[in-house]
Amino acid sequence: MQKDGTDILLNQLAVQLKTAKTRFIYHYIWQSIPLLITLSGLVFLFTNNVYFTCFTALCVTIVRVTSLFVLKLLKRFNLDNYLLYLNQQFSELEHSAQLLSRHAQLNPLQQLQKDKIQSKLQTLFQYKSPNLTPMYSNNRSILASLLVSLIIVGLVFVDPVSRLSSTFANHDDTSTTKPDAKTAIIWQETTITPPSYTGLASQTQNNLDLATIANSKITWQFKFNHSAGDKYIHISTSQAVNTAEDVAIDAKNKGIKLEKRQDGVFSITHTFLHSSVYYIRDDNGLIGGVHSVMITQDIAPKIRILTPKQTISTFAKSSSPVLEAEVHISDDFGISNVDILASVAKGSGEAVKFRDQVFSFDEVEMDNSSNKTSGVHKKTWNLIELGMEPGDELYFTIRAQDNKLPINQTARSETKIIKWLEDEQDLLMSEGMLIDFIPEYFKSQRQIIIETQQLIADTSFLSEEQFTLTSRSLGHAQSDLKTKYGQYLGDEFDDGSGNHGGDSDAGVPEVHVKDGDHNDDLDKHDDTPQRALGSHENNQANSHVADRASPHTDDHHDPHHADNDSGHDDKSGYQQAIETFGHNHADTDVGVMGTQSPKALMKQAIAHMWEAELYLQLSDPIKALPYEELALKYLNQAKKAERIYVKRLGFEPPPVTESRRYQGDLSDILTYEQQQTVPKNDQEIENIRLLLSRLNNLSQPVTNADNELLESIKQQFNREAASRPALMVFNATIERIQLSKSFELADCQACIPELQSELWRQLPAPVAEPNLPQQKYRGNNPIMQRYADFLNQQTRPQ
Amino acid sequence: MSVELFSQVHINFLPGFPVWVSYFGLILLILTFGYCLPLIFKRVSKQGAFRKWLVVILNLVLFVNVIALLSDIQVKRTHVSSATLITVGADLALVEKQLTEHDSKLHSTFVLANSDLINSANESTIENNWQVIHQPEQLLFAKPQLQQLTVIGDGLSEQQWNALQALSQEQSRVPLEIHFAPSTLRSGPIEMRWIKRLVIGEYQKISGKLRIANVDDTASLRKQIYQVSLLQPDGEILETKNLRDGEAFQFSFPVSVRGQWLYTLTVTNTGTSAPEMSENIAFSVEQNTPPNILIVQSAPSFETKHFKNWASQFNTKLTSQTQISQNKYITQYLNTSKKESEEQGLDSLSSYDLLLIDGRALLGLSEEYRNAISRAINAGLGILIIADQSLITDNQNHQFTILSNIEISTEANDSNTISNLLRWSQIQTAQPISYLNANLTSKHPRLKNYQALVTDTQNKPVVLNQNVGLGNVAISLVNNSYQWQLSGEEQTYSQYWQYLIGQISRPSSEVNWLPIDEEEVAYVNDPLRICALGNNNVHSAYYQGPINSSTENLKRTLLLAPSSPITEKQCSVIWPESQGWYTRSLNPADANQTIVSQSSFYVYSKQQWSSWQQSGKHAASQRQVQQSTAAIPKEYLEYVSKYPFWWMFIVVVTLLWIERKY
């Protein structure tokens, strides 16, 4: 019986033990939960990856479960330990509960105690006393779990959109891209909307290097392989303009943030006033490459007065004072308004009165009526209808406005003068009155050369149409200049093409000239031909020239006709071959300055201007350039000839002897010293040289000094971009170098060589530097000194 | 024991043994044979005569064979120790043709490591008995008694020949007999010259000659025109010339940017328009060494004003003293200070490189000052006197020692000034300029120590320079060169003055590297002698490079050794391993100071300038052939092989055994 009672009690104890074990397990699990949440949450925060988070949780769980067995935590739950626990919890057991587990023979005292304990224990079981099994409090664990969960959730939901979107994006991302893969553009589209007044249609393209008109609106649309995160467009320009619709620039100056649409497309719209370079980037850095936006400015209208050609037109008193004025006006996009500003001057001296009036043209013939970009405007001036009398003068200038918005551009032509002469007098030379006003578009020969060189350099960057337009506009400028200089020579030479007949001396351009006035009836011609010196057969040439002069008498008012007559009969190319291989203008010996006629030099200059104009009109600036340079050379020589001529006539005082020098009052004259450090000028040229030299060593990384140099070159190109938008391509290269911090651009092999070529082109003719000679010995060498002494003895005066 | 037979055969019985042993052995052998011979006779006495004589002869032969086998037999021969050296450009056909003329047993063949046969893909072109060497001198180590050398291919350079001949003299004291089988001519530019180191504004002059390889039709070769073009580093064509075979060319242009530059010379057949040859021309443009100039003038002038404006912007130190009154002066210090320029004393002239003075100011100097100037000129100072009417008309000039060597005169009724185009150093101005109408001549023309630095179109000197001591005295008739500056010809103006300063001034006393000569280039693995003009302040030197390579920053020490008799010139020899730009640097003794002098040089690969290299090597080798003398054959004793005697012994013994058996 007792034995049965003990067994029953032991069974009960076993049940309680099992309960205790279960409680412990639950407690252990609760203890693990805060740790699990903490670790998983941290992993999720840093990696933003659900799978990785779950994996971490699983690992933690496995570790905890494994530690349960490794540390043998459950083995503590055995009968002996449980009886010890009961002894501690219940004092009535008198620390004798372990007797129940002893199956060995007990002594009578132990047996008595055992029986006693057994009954007490049964009583405890019967009344289900608390503390029969250990109680584990999970409150702390629960609290900790809640707290950690709140923190983790809070951190996750600081930026819920990006985190959730990136989380789900990772879910959707079926590629095997790793989390730190580079962002790339997978689709792009650019829409260029020119200003409405240009009449140009919008165009859409995929190329990110753009060329358009100023004030064009450009809309970019991109799709990226990683659409998470912000994307920016960084625009670099010295005259950056942010229009009202631009998005606020990020505080870290990353650029303008692209707007993201629902379909995952990023877009931005920006209006450009000046050439720029730009690139797309995100928080990790550059996306794709650096691109350029070449902006062509809207040019003001061009006005060419076809007739009258001369600045001053005169009418005799008895003649009919009617003048047909013909003007060609052109603009790149359209002309909005054309009028004539005229002033009538009546009287002379202090009694002269001016009457200003605005006229319009009588007749307009537009080349293209729909675009109204160019046309010929005609006006008939009848001085009598204007209320003028002999002795009065009419000044008029053409004013044209284009259709540029918001503010149009105005151009004015040169002023033409119509004189109605008072007395029967000889027609005055055209040099009689100087016109100081030079319209702003009137280019000098040097400017024409510079622009021709620029046009040649930009050939590969310009479209055919743009190239032709630019070349022809330069041709017009050359023509205007030629006409202007021709006026000072009486504009009476006709063979402006420099026709080299077979009888002329080799190397000497033959120009048929008549000095004096226009009137062929008057006997005041100077038929002495103006030939360039170097000809040793002037006499023969004189007669030859005189013979040839007469056929051209009637043609001198029509230079175009002369143009047709001269130099273009050579259809086989024979003449050109002669000129190329046998007749080199550059070697023409113009002789000693002092014995040349300035007029002859001017005429030669104009002859070359004819050729230059011809090739420019034919869109061949390469052939025109040598003629332009020759024209400039002769122009300069003509100016020098004038000066020397004047100098010769000047008074040369007798030399001052030493005894007569400095005989004046010397009391106020001070002896002083001054010290100066001269800085180097032409920093821009020096920067170009430094960068060229630096580009010799591409393997070295970009230093701070290199960055400053690149920045200064970039600013220089920005300033020149207004007239040469093609320079933006090189700015894009410089931007690439600065962003990659290396001169080796793997994604653009030709960029550095092209930049080098442009830098070489920009270099002017070098100014020589003073330099000491180098020798292979020192002066203090004893052998050299003895040799010097020997030489001295030889050269000592006897 | 040795015996000589017919003065051609030398027999040494029992070599290696003492003489008495040889004698004893021989005597024993003879006695044995002598004893055996009768016994042989006795044995075969009953045989027929043929058999009898056969046995006797066989035994005699056996006896001789035994003596031969126990002796060293040498035969006297005469021959010339010769070798063939195969160089770059030798093709297999040429080599085989040459080698067939020599006895391969006595003849050695060497191949230079960079020859085409080594570099060709076909390994079977190299015979097993050919020896590959890296330097020509190595063949003398392999064959010290070399007397005759046949060189096949391009040949050796002058430098290589000198080294080879020197070593040969040292070893054998007998000059080499040289034969040369030249390689087929290669087309390309030859006899090239260009300046390796310049400063901005200096004119680079590249000259050479075009050589086109002979084709079958010589007549058409003469008619064929080739385009020789010089291209800038960016690929733009600088200048083009049309030439025929054998014609010389020259390109001249001012350099504009500092750095190391590779220009390209291309040769294009005008018929095909495709570039046939392309070579790099390397030179460096380095920092200028600005002079220290003293200007003394009797009155302010535009000439010196513009000169100062130009020179001062390039760190030139200028001290200008201008008389503005009888006893009043304005002294200007540009890029220098009074303290630095020292007091205006007699000793301060040693610190200046050039004295620019007008005639009137020169004549107004005190006797003491004039003597100081004379001493300074002898010590190296350069003086440029701007002539004026005072100098021409004053009678004192002949007493002035500085001017005692140059005569200035005018023609009666001539105008004071004339105007003409000027020329200097192959540059001719495009714009004429006015200058004094006077004649400049040297009073000692036989000494040839004067030069007309600048002339007009009639070759009349406008600036005449005379070497006086270590310095120069120059007189210029041009007193308004600023006309060029005002006319926009800034380049002409600056080149004029750069040229004059370069010709007249005291040479730089700074420690510096000497440039490589104009007609030389450096090649990979060829010895390159680089020299510096130093002083006691130089501590060490090193070189780095090539640029843009893995060894760009590797510093390799240069051991500079004085080059007598100019001991301040210190040189070292290096063997550059790669093609490219190298930098050499001089370090001062004081470690706190920065690098004293840095300079660059370019090393070409052996494949570049192949026609030029070939031309030079052909010429050098031909000269060696012309200067060489025929080698005298030497006598020597050749060992005769013992194999025949051994086989004879075997055969004889066998026959004797057969005879005995049967």
Side-chain angles (χ1 to χ4, degrees):
Chain A
M1 279 300 284
Q2 269 191 338
K3 197 174 181 183
D4 291 336
T6 306
D7 289 339
I8 293 168
L9 195 59
L10 285 173
N11 286 339
Q12 284 176 325
L13 284 170
V15 168
Q16 292 298 322
L17 186 64
K18 195 175 175 185
T19 307
K21 198 187 271 189
T22 307
R23 281 187 185 171
F24 175 74
I25 289 171
Y26 282 135
H27 176 70
Y28 192 76
I29 290 171
W30 272 109
Q31 273 185 329
S32 304
I33 288 175
L35 179 67
L36 185 72
I37 294 173
T38 305
L39 287 176
S40 304
L42 287 173
V43 165
F44 182 76
L45 280 174
F46 284 112
T47 65
N48 222 14
N49 190 309
V50 171
Y51 297 116
F52 206 63
T53 307
C54 294
F55 178 73
T56 306
L58 186 62
C59 287
V60 170
T61 307
I62 291 170
V63 166
R64 285 293 284 179
V65 168
T66 308
S67 64
L68 198 61
F69 297 98
V70 167
L71 298 174
K72 298 178 185 175
L73 296 173
L74 292 177
K75 284 208 172 173
R76 294 183 301 173
F77 290 85
N78 52 33
L79 186 60
D80 290 330
N81 286 340
Y82 184 53
L83 291 171
L84 278 174
Y85 165 74
L86 290 174
N87 280 338
Q88 287 167 3
Q89 292 296 322
F90 302 102
S91 58
E92 56 266 44
L93 294 178
E94 296 172 5
H95 296 281
S96 302
Q98 65 275 19
L99 290 173
L100 296 170
S101 65
R102 285 179 67 181
H103 299 288
Q105 192 68 28
L106 298 170
N107 58 37
L109 187 61
Q110 285 173 338
Q111 187 65 43
L112 279 172
Q113 184 68 9
K114 182 180 175 183
D115 294 337
K116 184 181 174 184
I117 297 304
Q118 200 168 319
S119 61
K120 285 186 181 173
L121 204 55
Q122 276 176 347
T123 310
L124 286 173
F125 280 130
Q126 189 177 359
Y127 290 104
K128 294 187 182 174
S129 294
N131 293 340
L132 274 174
T133 52
M135 298 297 290
Y136 298 100
S137 172
N138 295 321
N139 293 338
R140 282 187 188 174
S141 300
I142 293 168
L143 199 63
S145 300
L146 282 173
L147 194 64
V148 168
S149 301
L150 280 172
I151 292 170
I152 296 293
V153 168
L155 287 173
V156 166
F157 283 96
V158 162
D159 193 358
V161 175
S162 61
R163 289 212 171 273
L164 287 176
S165 65
S166 64
T167 304
F168 288 114
N170 288 337
H171 278 297
D172 296 338
D173 187 3
T174 56
S175 70
T176 55
T177 323
K178 293 193 179 164
D180 55 348
K182 208 170 159 56
T183 307
I185 300 171
I186 56 176
W187 175 82
Q188 67 212 25
E189 190 177 86
T190 314
T191 306
I192 302 172
T193 307
S196 55
Y197 75 88
T198 62
L200 297 172
S202 297
Q203 48 176 307
T204 304
Q205 62 184 58
N206 291 332
N207 192 355
L208 292 179
D209 289 305
L210 311 167
T212 183
I213 306 297
N215 249 321
S216 294
K217 205 176 274 191
I218 299 176
T219 303
W220 292 272
Q221 295 182 85
F222 299 102
K223 270 188 187 172
F224 303 94
N225 57 351
H226 299 309
S227 52
D230 292 330
K231 308 288 186 281
Y232 307 91
I233 180 169
H234 190 280
I235 300 172
S236 300
T237 174
S238 63
Q239 295 109 357
V241 171
N242 290 328
T243 58
E245 60 266 26
D246 283 345
V247 182
I249 295 177
D250 184 270
K252 291 181 185 176
N253 200 22
K254 293 177 192 169
I256 309 169
K257 197 192 307 190
L258 273 63
E259 294 172 13
K260 186 178 178 187
R261 301 207 300 249
Q262 292 294 327
D263 53 357
V265 172
F266 290 81
S267 70
I268 183 79
T269 300
H270 191 81
T271 303
F272 283 89
L273 294 180
H274 305 279
S275 298
S276 309
V277 296
Y278 72 94
Y279 56 88
I280 308 297
R281 62 164 296 160
D282 59 3
D283 291 325
N284 295 327
L286 182 67
I287 301 173
V290 180
H291 307 283
S292 62
V293 178
M294 287 193 276
I295 296 294
T296 308
Q297 300 294 334
D298 186 350
I299 308 170
K302 291 191 177 67
I303 306 173
R304 283 185 63 230
I305 300 179
L306 303 173
T307 54
K309 280 206 168 300
Q310 295 92 353
T311 305
I312 302 174
S313 303
T314 53
F315 289 99
K317 184 178 180 182
S318 56
S319 64
S320 170
V322 176
L323 180 78
E324 292 281 339
E326 213 171 289
V327 181
H328 183 266
I329 301 174
S330 62
D331 185 66
D332 37 11
F333 295 113
I335 301 162
S336 63
N337 185 37
V338 179
D339 53 22
I340 307 170
L341 304 176
S343 289
V344 175
K346 291 181 81 66
S348 63
E350 291 186 359
V352 64
K353 291 179 185 171
F354 291 93
R355 184 184 82 232
D356 295 331
Q357 211 166 336
V358 177
F359 295 90
S360 57
F361 284 94
D362 300 330
E363 190 184 327
V364 177
E365 291 175 11
M366 299 304 292
D367 295 340
N368 186 339
S369 58
S370 59
N371 286 345
K372 294 185 182 177
T373 56
S374 67
V376 176
H377 296 67
K378 294 178 183 173
K379 169 78 180 169
T380 303
W381 296 103
N382 190 329
L383 301 189
I384 295 172
E385 288 179 8
L386 290 174
M388 289 172 64
E389 294 168 352
D392 294 346
E393 293 176 353
L394 170 68
Y395 310 91
F396 69 92
T397 181
I398 315 298
R399 183 174 62 181
Q401 291 171 334
D402 65 1
N403 61 349
K404 184 183 175 187
L405 294 175
I407 303 170
N408 55 20
Q409 297 175 107
T410 305
R412 286 177 66 142
S413 70
E414 58 174 341
T415 300
K416 296 289 185 182
I417 303 171
I418 304 174
K419 280 187 178 180
W420 194 357
L421 298 173
E422 200 164 17
D423 297 321
E424 291 290 346
Q425 52 184 271
D426 295 338
L427 294 175
L428 292 176
M429 291 288 295
S430 54
E431 293 93 331
M433 188 163 180
L434 284 173
I435 306 296
D436 291 330
F437 174 71
I438 298 175
E440 59 189 23
Y441 71 83
F442 205 86
K443 294 179 183 172
S444 66
Q445 187 65 29
R446 207 179 289 275
Q447 183 63 30
I448 292 172
I449 290 173
I450 290 169
E451 292 193 11
T452 305
Q453 286 170 341
Q454 285 177 353
L455 179 64
I456 294 169
D458 292 342
T459 303
S460 58
F461 300 111
L462 298 174
S463 66
E464 197 175 327
E465 195 185 335
Q466 277 177 318
F467 182 84
T468 306
L469 272 173
T470 312
S471 180
R472 285 190 180 164
S473 71
L474 285 172
H476 293 150
Q478 181 73 87
S479 169
D480 292 337
L481 191 66
K482 174 198 70 194
T483 307
K484 180 196 170 202
Y485 283 117
Q487 291 169 9
Y488 291 100
L489 300 171
D491 205 18
E492 287 181 343
F493 62 94
D494 45 15
D495 188 2
S497 65
N499 186 22
H500 310 293
D503 295 336
S504 64
D505 289 342
V508 178
E510 194 176 273
V511 178
H512 303 284
V513 172
K514 284 182 185 177
D515 276 333
D517 51 31
H518 298 277
N519 197 336
D520 297 330
D521 295 332
L522 299 177
D523 270 338
K524 291 191 179 178
H525 289 207
D526 177 10
D527 285 328
T528 305
Q530 300 294 333
R531 289 177 64 91
L533 289 181
S535 163
H536 300 289
E537 299 173 358
N538 267 336
N539 291 334
Q540 291 178 5
N542 284 353
S543 59
H544 168 69
V545 166
D547 289 338
R548 289 190 62 167
S550 46
H552 293 281
T553 303
D554 298 328
D555 293 339
H556 66 274
H557 280 301
D558 189 354
H560 290 291
H561 181 57
D563 202 9
N564 292 333
D565 282 343
S566 61
H568 298 285
D569 297 332
D570 175 26
K571 294 185 173 55
S572 66
Y574 172 72
Q575 197 59 41
Q576 179 142 4
I578 293 281
E579 288 171 17
T580 305
F581 294 105
H583 185 168
N584 192 342
H585 284 276
D587 290 340
T588 300
D589 181 7
V590 297
V592 177
M593 181 66 72
T595 57
Q596 279 197 60
S597 163
K599 224 170 202 176
L601 292 168
M602 282 292 292
K603 283 165 185 170
Q604 286 184 36
I606 291 169
H608 290 302
M609 284 184 193
W610 274 104
E611 293 293 313
E613 182 196 346
L614 169 68
Y615 286 115
L616 285 170
Q617 294 286 3
L618 293 175
S619 304
D620 196 349
I622 294 174
K623 281 188 185 161
L625 189 61
Y627 291 110
E628 291 171 11
E629 286 167 350
L630 282 168
L632 178 64
K633 176 185 160 186
Y634 286 121
L635 279 176
N636 287 335
Q637 286 178 359
K639 288 176 195 171
K640 300 299 170 296
E642 287 281 349
R643 283 186 205 156
I644 290 174
Y645 179 78
V646 169
K647 189 180 173 184
R648 280 209 182 136
L649 296 179
F651 165 68
E652 265 192 52
V656 178
T657 59
E658 196 60 40
S659 57
R660 291 199 295 126
R661 282 183 82 218
Y662 295 138
Q663 291 297 311
D665 181 9
L666 310 174
S667 54
D668 293 333
I669 298 173
L670 305 172
T671 292
Y672 62 94
E673 299 168 352
Q674 54 180 212
Q675 184 177 332
Q676 219 176 328
T677 303
V678 178
K680 241 184 177 175
N681 52 9
D682 272 339
Q683 191 55 42
E684 287 190 356
I685 306 298
E686 190 60 27
N687 285 343
I688 291 175
R689 290 205 180 106
L690 286 171
L691 184 57
L692 262 177
S693 184
R694 181 63 183 87
L695 290 176
N696 262 341
N697 192 359
L698 300 179
S699 64
Q700 295 288 336
V702 176
T703 61
N704 288 338
D706 293 335
N707 244 331
E708 285 176 18
L709 178 61
L710 289 166
E711 199 57 43
S712 59
I713 297 282
K714 211 162 69 170
Q715 295 305 323
Q716 197 176 320
F717 282 172
N718 274 333
R719 285 192 291 275
E720 294 170 18
S723 57
R724 279 190 66 194
L727 288 174
M728 280 297 116
V729 173
F730 307 110
N731 264 6
T733 302
I734 293 175
E735 194 83 25
R736 276 199 187 95
I737 294 170
Q738 288 178 309
L739 288 171
S740 62
K741 293 189 174 47
S742 165
F743 284 99
E744 291 173 320
L745 303 175
D747 57 344
C748 181
Q749 299 291 338
C751 285
I752 297 293
E754 281 174 7
L755 177 62
Q756 282 176 315
S757 292
E758 178 58 29
L759 293 173
W760 275 105
R761 269 195 291 270
Q762 294 240 357
L763 276 181
V767 176
E769 298 179 345
N771 188 45
L772 285 178
Q774 305 284 337
Q775 277 186 334
K776 295 185 180 178
Y777 54 86
R778 292 265 181 249
N780 55 3
N781 186 288
I783 297 173
M784 294 301 146
Q785 284 181 343
R786 285 173 59 182
Y787 179 60
D789 293 337
F790 165 74
L791 287 176
N792 241 358
Q793 286 170 4
Q794 299 295 313
T795 57
R796 199 163 291 165
Q798 302 300 324
Chain B
M1 189 193 83
S2 62
V3 172
E4 202 169 288
L5 295 177
F6 312 112
S7 70
Q8 294 295 323
V9 182
H10 189 85
I11 301 172
N12 190 7
F13 186 69
L14 289 181
F17 288 93
V19 176
W20 66 270
V21 171
S22 303
Y23 274 110
F24 180 74
L26 185 63
I27 291 167
L28 187 64
L29 205 60
I30 293 172
L31 286 175
T32 304
F33 184 70
Y35 179 74
C36 290
L37 200 60
L39 293 178
I40 293 166
F41 269 114
K42 189 178 177 183
R43 186 176 65 78
V44 297
S45 59
K46 292 181 182 170
Q47 304 297 329
F50 170 74
R51 190 158 170 167
K52 234 188 272 189
W53 282 107
L54 181 63
V55 171
V56 167
I57 289 168
L58 285 177
N59 276 284
L60 201 61
V61 169
L62 184 63
F63 172 69
V64 169
N65 272 332
V66 168
I67 291 180
L69 285 173
L70 293 175
S71 308
D72 276 342
I73 304 173
Q74 292 170 310
V75 177
K76 247 188 207 174
R77 293 200 193 275
T78 57
H79 91 295
V80 172
S81 175
S82 62
T84 296
L85 177 62
I86 301 172
T87 61
V88 173
D91 59 23
L92 199 57
L94 186 64
V95 169
E96 283 174 357
K97 184 186 165 194
Q98 290 297 318
L99 289 182
T100 50
E101 297 174 2
H102 296 278
D103 183 357
S104 59
K105 288 184 206 170
L106 306 171
H107 190 77
S108 304
T109 306
F110 299 88
V111 185
L112 270 181
N114 61 348
S115 79
D116 302 329
L117 296 183
I118 295 285
N119 296 329
S120 66
N122 188 0
E123 294 178 354
S124 63
T125 53
I126 306 298
E127 299 288 341
N128 289 335
N129 58 347
W130 292 2
Q131 299 177 56
V132 178
I133 56 175
H134 294 272
Q135 296 292 337
E137 299 96 288
Q138 285 176 300
L139 65 88
L140 289 178
F141 297 136
K143 215 159 181 176
Q145 301 300 319
L146 183 66
Q147 292 173 282
Q148 187 187 73
L149 177 64
T150 301
V151 178
I152 305 174
D154 285 354
L156 301 176
S157 66
E158 195 72 48
Q159 204 177 14
Q160 288 172 320
W161 278 117
N162 290 341
L164 189 66
Q165 292 284 17
L167 188 59
S168 171
Q169 284 287 338
E170 196 179 305
Q171 284 186 340
S172 64
R173 301 191 184 275
V174 173
L176 285 172
E177 179 187 346
I178 309 294
H179 294 275
F180 179 48
S183 53
T184 312
L185 286 182
R186 292 192 289 274
S187 301
I190 61 172
E191 297 177 16
M192 296 294 300
R193 286 179 69 101
W194 71 87
I195 307 169
K196 304 298 188 295
R197 193 168 78 189
L198 306 107
V199 297
I200 291 181
E202 262 192 291
Y203 263 74
Q204 170 64 275
K205 298 178 191 93
I206 301 170
S207 63
K209 196 189 271 190
L210 179 65
R211 182 178 77 181
I212 302 298
N214 197 4
V215 295
D216 296 331
D217 187 359
T218 312
S220 67
L221 175 67
R222 294 206 179 279
K223 287 181 189 172
Q224 188 65 45
I225 294 179
Y226 291 84
Q227 231 174 30
V228 178
S229 303
L230 182 68
L231 278 67
Q232 282 181 173
D234 64 337
E236 291 290 318
I237 296 178
L238 204 59
E239 200 176 339
T240 299
K241 292 187 189 294
N242 292 327
L243 299 168
R244 292 196 182 88
D245 172 42
E247 289 185 350
F249 58 86
Q250 181 172 318
F251 297 103
S252 188
F253 59 94
V255 295
S256 53
V257 187
R258 250 176 236 117
Q260 295 93 34
W261 303 109
L262 287 178
Y263 282 62
T264 309
L265 192 71
T266 61
V267 179
T268 308
N269 189 331
T270 51
T272 61
S273 76
E276 292 194 359
M277 290 149 254
S278 177
E279 299 285 0
N280 285 338
I281 293 179
F283 58 88
S284 64
V285 181
E286 298 185 355
Q287 181 72 40
N288 65 319
T289 308
N292 192 355
I293 300 176
L294 172 65
I295 301 173
V296 177
Q297 48 185 356
S298 59
S301 72
F302 286 117
E303 180 73 342
T304 53
K305 174 180 178 295
H306 285 281
F307 176 79
K308 281 187 279 187
N309 286 347
W310 164 73
S312 60
Q313 62 180 317
F314 298 110
N315 296 325
T316 304
K317 293 180 184 175
L318 289 149
T319 305
S320 165
Q321 189 185 44
T322 308
Q323 185 180 13
I324 53 170
S325 177
Q326 281 192 340
N327 298 311
K328 305 286 176 67
Y329 298 86
I330 296 175
T331 307
Q332 253 184 326
Y333 301 97
L334 294 170
N335 295 329
T336 182
S337 64
K338 181 179 177 180
K339 189 179 174 183
E340 191 179 341
S341 180
E342 295 175 4
E343 293 293 334
Q344 189 63 33
L346 301 176
D347 294 335
S348 65
L349 289 172
S350 61
S351 64
Y352 295 108
D353 301 311
L354 178 68
L355 169 61
L356 192 61
I357 189 167
D358 63 87
R360 196 194 313 229
L362 183 68
L363 295 172
L365 294 176
S366 63
E367 187 67 27
E368 197 182 3
Y369 207 104
R370 289 187 197 180
N371 292 336
I373 291 177
S374 293
R375 286 196 299 274
I377 293 172
N378 282 325
L381 175 69
I383 175 171
L384 175 62
I385 304 167
I386 309 294
D388 50 25
Q389 288 298 329
S390 303
L391 194 67
I392 295 171
T393 58
D394 201 288
N395 291 326
Q396 295 177 19
N397 58 3
H398 68 278
Q399 295 174 2
F400 196 171
T401 53
I402 295 173
L403 299 176
S404 60
N405 301 318
I406 300 178
E407 189 168 344
I408 316 169
S409 59
T410 55
E411 301 290 333
N413 300 326
D414 264 358
S415 59
N416 286 342
T417 59
I418 59 173
S419 182
N420 206 338
L421 301 174
L422 299 183
R423 289 189 197 139
W424 65 86
S425 179
Q426 299 180 354
I427 298 171
Q428 175 161 320
T429 60
Q431 186 178 331
I433 197 173
S434 59
Y435 52 93
L436 289 177
N437 189 5
N439 298 319
L440 290 172
T441 49
S442 170
K443 288 183 182 173
H444 305 277
R446 64 179 180 85
L447 289 178
K448 304 286 183 194
N449 61 346
Y450 66 95
Q451 309 91 32
L453 297 181
V454 180
T455 59
D456 60 12
T457 51
Q458 276 88 42
N459 275 334
K460 196 176 90 167
V462 175
V463 178
L464 188 70
N465 180 43
Q466 187 107 23
N467 305 123
V468 178
L470 292 174
N472 295 292
V473 175
I475 296 183
S476 170
L477 299 177
V478 179
N479 58 3
N480 52 1
S481 61
Y482 63 89
Q483 291 178 40
W484 286 317
Q485 186 83 297
L486 296 177
S487 304
E489 300 276 343
E490 193 183 4
Q491 193 184 11
T492 303
Y493 177 82
S494 61
Q495 282 166 356
Y496 170 78
W497 280 107
Q498 184 192 60
Y499 175 71
L500 287 184
I501 290 173
Q503 294 294 314
I504 301 168
S505 301
R506 185 199 308 270
S508 170
S509 59
E510 290 181 357
V511 176
N512 62 80
W513 290 103
L514 296 174
I516 298 175
D517 287 340
E518 290 184 18
E519 60 271 7
E520 287 182 13
V521 291
Y523 292 102
V524 170
N525 289 330
D526 269 359
L528 173 66
R529 191 160 180 258
I530 51 179
C531 300
L533 201 60
N535 52 34
N536 293 332
N537 288 341
V538 175
H539 176 65
S540 63
Y542 62 89
Y543 73 101
Q544 296 167 274
I547 295 174
N548 291 333
S549 73
S550 57
T551 56
E552 181 177 356
N553 296 319
L554 177 64
K555 290 183 183 177
R556 284 168 274 203
T557 305
L558 285 168
L559 298 174
L560 298 174
S563 167
S564 75
I566 302 170
T567 52
E568 59 271 16
K569 182 176 167 186
Q570 300 174 7
C571 301
S572 179
V573 178
I574 63 170
W575 278 263
E577 298 132 2
S578 316
Q579 176 190 352
W581 279 104
Y582 289 75
T583 311
R584 48 191 176 175
S585 309
L586 286 170
N587 277 337
D590 184 359
N592 293 329
Q593 291 183 24
T594 54
I595 294 172
V596 173
S597 172
Q598 218 166 30
S599 173
S600 303
F601 61 94
Y602 189 80
V603 174
Y604 290 86
S605 73
K606 283 287 179 69
Q607 285 73 39
Q608 290 178 290
W609 296 111
S610 64
S611 56
W612 183 19
Q613 288 188 65
Q614 183 192 53
S615 163
K617 287 177 180 174
H618 275 194
S621 303
Q622 297 287 4
R623 275 196 294 276
Q624 292 293 325
V625 169
Q626 286 164 7
Q627 291 168 5
S628 73
T629 53
I632 299 169
K634 283 184 181 173
E635 286 182 349
Y636 73 103
L637 294 171
E638 188 183 21
Y639 283 99
V640 175
S641 174
K642 291 187 182 177
Y643 277 112
F645 295 107
W646 178 249
W647 284 112
M648 185 73 77
F649 179 82
I650 298 294
V651 167
V652 168
V653 165
T654 305
L655 288 174
L656 284 173
W657 182 82
I658 293 170
E659 188 276 332
R660 186 68 186 253
K661 191 75 178 175
Y662 296 103

